[in-house]
């Protein structure tokens, strides 16, 4: 008998295969037993870790949402903004909905009003105010007068007289005007002054208050549309003096006794007298664009009131600051200041000079100023446009049409001045002289030494003699000034008023909202969530390292 121990049956009974193990643990069948056991351990570990991570994420989101609403609710209970505490409080749902609707509605309304206020501010609106202030004394304005008759009859040719008479009888005013323009343009500038009426022949008497004045107190300028013109208290070269009125009324103003010389009028002249313009002392006069007609045979009284206009420059307006602006017009070299009318006429003359290579005789012609303004210099000097030259006439007429139709851009290039003085006038007339004062008046005229050619004083006083008084009828100076309707302080005040009225909103409320968004929500919840994510990732990495 074999005493060796047979162990093989025992081994088969006490052992079980991997299939039985899989069945016992409910594991899926795999091809390799060793791999199956390894996968079991790893899979079990990953499953537990995923479930933990998902649970942590869910809990973190719930905590974040809870923290967010707690912050908002806390803000609503503590903020200075009205109504929000009621909307986010612990009251009944209907009460919270009611206050929430009010807060939302007023927030929309306030937002709309703030947008409109900002739009109004961006449009740069302007307020105009008028102030009146009594003055102790007033500088006297410049007074320019021109005889309505441009050319004296004794200086006109017989052919011109015949042509003027024929066109006047036909009623063609344009033809009469063109004939005179042509006659003046065909005359050299140094001889044009001799064609019109002379100041020494017209001025019979001149008084400023109690002080006597004379021809040396007047300056001369020629105007194609008006002929010879003379200015008192303008820019003076021979005698420089500041004329100032110390009181209101005719006794403290300018008194002129003038002879219109109607016996020298052309047959085309239908109106007798003078064109009178009252303007600022430094402004170049253009009587054809404004002024009063003073008729002979009457005493004419002109009361004036001065108004200073102060406009706003960009961005509130388009006026020109004449003190800061260095741009010169054609009249600035003669000492005249800026005026819109003068600028536009300079613009026209510059266009004629640039395109026609000559000057329109109706406007001042300064060759150096034109060359500087246009960048064009004519060899031999600038000349006056010749009315007998078809090319010159056609060029000037074309320029005139463009100027009238505003196609030269002169209106845009010449804004009004930011500081401007204007004069309003009130005119009254009376019969002069009266019958009792007739002899006294005739005696005074005879003493002037200018009555040698007067044979009929009755006819002379009615048809040619003018007595003109110009004075301040009030020493109240009006100032019309513009100021911004919206300043930065007013903008803030209007916005704050709307927000405060509708929401109880202030700058401190805005700081509270910024603090909520930036510190509590942005910094607090944002970083807390970020730190939680980082901590979760760090735990996962440590567990991976342990496995």
């Amino acid at each position: 008998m074999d005493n060796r121990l047979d162990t093989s049956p025992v081994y088969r009974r006490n052992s079980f295969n991997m299939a039985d193990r899989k069945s016992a643990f409910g594991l899926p069948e795999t091809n390799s037993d060793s791999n199956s056991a390894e996968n079991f351990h790893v899979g079990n570990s990953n499953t537990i870790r995923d479930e933990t991570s998902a649970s942590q994420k869910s809990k973190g989101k719930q905590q974040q949402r809870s923290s967010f609403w707690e912050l908002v609710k806390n803000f609503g209970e503590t903020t200075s903004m009205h109504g929000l505490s009621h909307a986010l409080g612990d009251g009944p749902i209907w009460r919270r909905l009611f206050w929430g609707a009010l807060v939302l509605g007023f927030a929309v309304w306030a937002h709309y009003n703030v947008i409109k206020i900002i739009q109004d501010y961006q449009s740069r609106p302007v307020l105009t105010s008028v102030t009146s202030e009594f003055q102790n004394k007033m500088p006297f304005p410049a007074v320019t007068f021109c005889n309505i008759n441009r050319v004296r009859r004794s200086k006109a040719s017989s052919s011109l007289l015949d042509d003027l008479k024929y066109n006047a009888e036909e009623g063609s005013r344009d033809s009469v005007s063109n004939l005179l323009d042509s006659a003046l343009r065909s005359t050299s500038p140094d001889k044009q002054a001799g064609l019109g009426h002379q100041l020494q022949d017209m001025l019979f008497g001149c008084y400023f208050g109690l002080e006597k004045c004379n021809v040396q107190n007047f300056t001369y300028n020629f105007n194609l549309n008006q002929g010879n013109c003379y200015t008192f208290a303008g820019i003076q070269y021979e005698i420089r003096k500041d004329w100032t009125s110390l009181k209101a009324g005719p006794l403290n103003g300018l008194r002129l006794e003038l002879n219109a010389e109607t016996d020298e009028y052309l047959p085309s002249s239908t109106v007798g007298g003078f064109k009178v313009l009252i303007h600022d002392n430094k402004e170049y006069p253009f009587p054809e664009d404004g002024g009063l007609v003073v008729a002979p045979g009457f005493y004419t009284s002109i009361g004036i009131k001065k108004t200073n206009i102060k406009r706003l420059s960009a961005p509130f307006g388009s006026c020109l600051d004449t003190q800061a602006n260095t741009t010169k017009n054609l009249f600035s070299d003669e000492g005249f200041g800026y005026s819109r009318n003068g600028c536009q006429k300079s613009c026209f003359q510059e266009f004629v000079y640039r395109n026609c290579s000559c000057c329109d005789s109706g406007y001042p012609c300064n060759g150096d100023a034109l060359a500087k303004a246009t960048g064009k210099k004519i060899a031999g000097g600038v000349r006056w446009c010749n009315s007998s030259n078809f090319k010159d006439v056609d060029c000037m007429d074309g320029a005139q049409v463009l100027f009238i139709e505003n196609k030269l851009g002169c209106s845009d290039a010449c804004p009004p001045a930011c500081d401007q003085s204007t004069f309003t006038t009130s005119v009254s007339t009376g019969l002069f002289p009266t019958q009792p004062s007739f002899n006294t008046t005739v005696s005074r005229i005879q003493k002037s030494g200018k009555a040698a050619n007067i044979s009929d004083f009755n006819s002379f006083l009615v048809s040619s003699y003018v007595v003109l008084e110009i004075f301040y009828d009030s020493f109240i100076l009006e100032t019309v000034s513009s100021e911004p309707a919206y300043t930065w302080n007013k903008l803030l005040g209007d916005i704050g008023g709307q927000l405060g009225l509708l929401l109880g909103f202030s700058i401190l409320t805005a700081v509270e909202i910024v603090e909520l968004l930036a510190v509590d929500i942005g910094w607090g919840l944002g970083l807390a969530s970020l730190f939680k994510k980082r901590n979760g990732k760090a735990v996962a990495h440590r567990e991976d390292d342990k496995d």
Side-chain angles (χ1 to χ4, degrees):
M1 182 176 189
D2 190 2
N3 292 327
R4 290 177 296 180
L5 181 63
D6 186 3
T7 59
S8 56
V10 178
Y11 173 78
R12 284 194 299 269
R13 286 194 303 269
N14 294 332
S15 64
F16 58 91
N17 55 29
M18 287 302 297
D20 297 331
R21 185 178 297 175
K22 293 172 185 175
S23 177
F25 288 97
L27 297 174
E29 296 183 1
T30 58
N31 294 330
S32 172
D33 293 338
S34 61
N35 290 340
S36 297
E38 183 180 350
N39 289 337
F40 163 71
H41 293 290
V42 175
N44 189 36
S45 176
N46 288 336
T47 301
I48 295 172
R49 187 179 303 147
D50 291 342
E51 292 176 353
T52 303
S53 178
S55 176
Q56 290 176 347
K57 288 181 179 179
S58 176
K59 187 179 296 183
K61 290 180 179 179
Q62 291 177 359
Q63 290 177 351
Q64 188 172 0
R65 284 195 295 268
S66 176
S67 300
F68 174 78
W69 287 114
E70 285 179 1
L71 285 174
V72 173
K73 185 177 180 181
N74 217 10
F75 173 77
E77 293 174 350
T78 58
T79 183
S80 59
M81 184 175 176
H82 302 330
L84 200 57
S85 59
H86 300 293
L88 300 176
D90 296 328
I93 185 66
W94 65 267
R95 187 171 182 271
R96 283 182 288 164
L97 290 175
F98 171 74
W99 280 101
L102 283 181
V103 171
L104 182 61
F106 283 125
V108 173
W109 189 6
H111 180 71
Y112 172 78
N113 290 341
V114 168
I115 291 177
K116 294 296 292 182
I117 290 172
I118 294 176
Q119 289 175 347
D120 289 343
Y121 174 77
Q122 292 175 340
S123 66
R124 306 292 185 183
V126 173
L127 292 177
T128 302
S129 61
V130 180
T131 58
S132 299
E133 185 179 359
F134 182 81
Q135 304 292 310
N136 294 323
K137 59 182 180 178
M138 297 276 282
F140 200 76
V143 178
T144 298
F145 68 91
C146 319
N147 200 311
I148 293 178
N149 183 66
R150 288 189 280 174
V151 178
R152 287 181 289 174
R153 187 186 188 95
S154 59
K155 298 296 180 179
S157 64
S158 57
S159 59
L160 177 61
L161 291 174
D162 292 339
D163 290 339
L164 290 173
K165 183 178 180 181
Y166 171 78
N167 285 280
E169 291 175 351
E170 294 295 324
S172 178
R173 295 180 59 186
D174 290 340
S175 298
V176 170
S177 179
N178 290 335
L179 282 171
L180 288 174
D181 290 349
S182 178
L184 289 170
R185 282 174 174 164
S186 61
T187 305
S188 60
D190 58 331
K191 295 181 179 180
Q192 286 176 341
L195 299 178
H197 297 267
Q198 306 301 303
L199 179 62
Q200 60 269 22
D201 297 330
M202 295 188 295
L203 187 64
F204 272 46
C206 177
Y207 301 89
F208 184 82
L210 300 177
E211 183 179 356
K212 192 172 183 179
C213 46
N214 52 46
V215 294
Q216 291 182 325
N217 299 120
F218 292 81
T219 54
Y220 163 81
N221 62 81
F222 174 79
N223 188 302
L224 180 69
N225 299 287
Q226 294 295 153
N228 291 343
C229 296
Y230 304 93
T231 302
F232 175 83
I235 299 176
Q236 302 170 12
Y237 297 101
E238 297 184 18
I239 297 179
R240 296 185 178 273
K241 183 174 181 178
D242 295 328
W243 300 95
T244 302
S245 291
L246 301 178
K247 294 181 181 179
L251 296 179
N252 296 279
L254 176 67
R255 178 186 173 95
L256 297 175
E257 297 179 12
L258 302 171
N259 178 11
E261 296 185 312
T262 55
D263 57 325
E264 283 277 13
Y265 273 35
L266 297 173
S268 58
S269 299
T270 58
V271 179
F274 295 91
K275 197 71 173 290
V276 179
L277 178 68
I278 301 170
H279 56 96
D280 188 78
N281 305 85
K282 292 186 177 181
E283 182 178 337
Y284 193 92
F286 296 99
E288 71 275 15
D289 297 330
L292 306 169
V293 175
V294 178
F298 294 93
Y299 165 89
T300 302
S301 175
I302 302 179
I304 57 176
K305 290 182 179 179
K306 185 177 181 180
T307 301
N308 289 336
I309 301 176
K310 298 183 180 296
R311 302 181 179 93
L312 290 176
S313 57
F316 298 97
S318 58
C319 70
L320 180 67
D321 187 353
T322 54
Q323 296 180 353
N325 191 278
T326 57
T327 303
K328 293 185 177 182
N329 56 43
L330 299 182
F331 312 103
S332 57
D333 289 340
E334 301 177 29
F336 293 99
Y338 175 86
S339 69
R340 188 178 189 184
N341 202 8
C343 177
Q344 290 179 338
K345 293 180 183 295
S346 298
C347 176
F348 172 77
Q349 186 74 295
E350 290 171 9
F351 181 85
V352 173
Y353 174 85
R354 187 185 297 109
N355 294 274
C356 307
S357 299
C358 59
C359 277
D360 190 326
S361 57
Y363 305 94
C365 180
N366 187 317
D368 295 335
L370 286 169
K372 182 178 180 181
T374 61
K376 176 182 178 180
K377 191 170 185 178
I378 299 177
V382 63
R383 64 181 179 85
W384 294 98
C385 297
N386 190 351
S387 60
S388 61
N389 186 321
F390 175 78
K391 184 178 179 181
D392 287 355
V393 173
D394 186 60
C395 185
M396 286 190 299
D397 289 344
Q400 191 69 42
V401 171
L402 293 175
F403 181 68
I404 294 173
E405 295 178 353
N406 195 25
K407 293 183 178 179
L408 298 182
C410 294
S411 295
D412 296 333
C414 299
C418 293
D419 294 318
Q420 180 182 1
S421 295
T422 62
F423 298 89
T424 56
T425 59
S426 57
V427 183
S428 59
T429 58
L431 182 64
F432 181 87
T434 60
Q435 191 62 36
S437 66
F438 179 82
N439 293 331
T440 304
T441 304
V442 171
S443 177
R444 190 172 68 253
I445 293 175
Q446 288 175 336
K447 289 181 180 180
S448 67
K450 299 179 180 180
N453 297 328
I454 301 175
S455 58
D456 186 353
F457 277 97
N458 282 305
S459 176
F460 169 74
L461 292 175
V462 171
S463 63
S464 290
Y465 201 67
V466 174
V467 178
L468 173 64
E469 286 187 338
I470 303 173
F471 55 90
Y472 281 109
D473 59 7
S474 173
F475 264 28
I476 296 177
L477 176 64
E478 279 193 351
T479 301
V480 180
S481 58
S482 300
E483 58 184 15
Y486 263 116
T487 60
W488 179 247
N489 290 336
K490 188 173 182 181
L491 174 67
L492 292 179
D494 285 352
I495 293 176
Q498 291 294 326
L499 295 177
L501 173 66
L502 299 174
L503 297 172
F505 198 95
S506 67
I507 294 179
L508 295 179
T509 309
V511 174
E512 291 174 352
I513 294 176
V514 171
E515 181 184 25
L516 172 68
L517 296 176
V519 178
D520 296 333
I521 296 178
W523 179 263
L525 294 183
L527 287 183
S529 175
L530 181 62
F531 287 146
K532 288 180 180 179
K533 289 181 180 179
R534 289 182 176 178
N535 290 336
K537 290 181 180 180
V539 171
H541 285 305
R542 286 197 297 270
E543 290 180 355
D544 290 341
D545 293 339
K546 289 178 181 180
D547 293 340

